Amino acid sequence: PTPPPTATATPSPSPTATASPRPSATPSPSPSPTAVIGDVMINEILADVPPYADVNGDGIARTWEAEFVEMVNWTGHTVNLGGCILSDSYADRFTFPQPFYVSPGQAVVVFGGGTPTGEFGGALVATVGIGYGLSLTNGGDTVTLRAGEEVYDSVTYGEEGGYDESLNRSPEIRGPFFGH
């Protein structure tokens, strides 16, 4: 397989923290140098984009661009995902640029491509690039967030990934995955 091109991350127009199941009552401390296991969880995966859906809001319905993985910093402190890799069973799909700070309770959505337009619930937004996308397998795959060999979170799904809907944790962040 051909490795994906270098990707760039683009923050949404006005990123704000999303609701967190464990809100911090005090201002967050200085950013941690890197994320640690469990700081950031994979919360939602869209492998099989519904026909004609413009999920990334750029006005073009291309399935490879609309695939996405959403991760959430569920801690009370800012984490740096810079250098972390999002991969599936077949290849490394996206490497976060240095630095890439994620506030407490904030989500990050990595799309397969396009020019995501919208607020996406205050999430930070990143895209993989032109012509490759995330290439998630609809009938089953494993999506992993890691730094080197250290795995922060890994999610395996089966044929339920091919039903024209995303898979989302319920309850958010810590629950099992269900069709969204």
Side-chain angles (χ1 to χ4, degrees), residues 1-161:
T2 305
T6 303
T8 58
T10 307
S12 59
S14 54
T16 57
T18 57
S20 172
R22 296 183 181 185
S24 174
T26 59
S28 60
S30 299
S32 61
T34 59
V36 296
I37 295 171
D39 277 358
V40 178
M41 303 291 291
I42 296 169
N43 193 57
E44 187 172 3
I45 299 168
L46 178 60
D48 187 19
V49 178
Y52 311 109
D54 179 21
V55 177
N56 67 4
D58 67 358
I60 303 169
R62 289 191 184 118
T63 57
W64 66 270
E65 290 181 344
E67 287 184 338
F68 71 81
V69 176
E70 177 195 70
M71 294 142 287
V72 177
N73 172 4
W74 70 276
T75 71
H77 60 273
T78 299
V79 296
N80 179 10
L81 288 180
C84 288
I85 297 168
L86 186 63
S87 62
D88 72 349
S89 299
Y90 305 98
D92 293 346
R93 302 297 182 179
F94 179 78
T95 300
F96 286 91
Q98 281 283 7
F100 195 95
Y101 295 115
V102 184
S103 299
Q106 189 170 38
V108 176
V109 180
V110 177
F111 283 102
T115 306
T117 304
E119 294 191 27
F120 305 106
L124 297 174
V125 175
T127 57
V128 171
I130 297 171
Y132 291 92
L134 288 167
S135 299
L136 301 174
T137 305
N138 295 353
D141 208 341
T142 297
V143 178
T144 303
L145 176 65
R146 64 182 169 78
E149 298 303 314
E150 188 171 14
V151 174
Y152 297 148
D153 195 19
S154 186
V155 173
T156 299
Y157 62 89
E159 67 182 34
E160 66 276 11

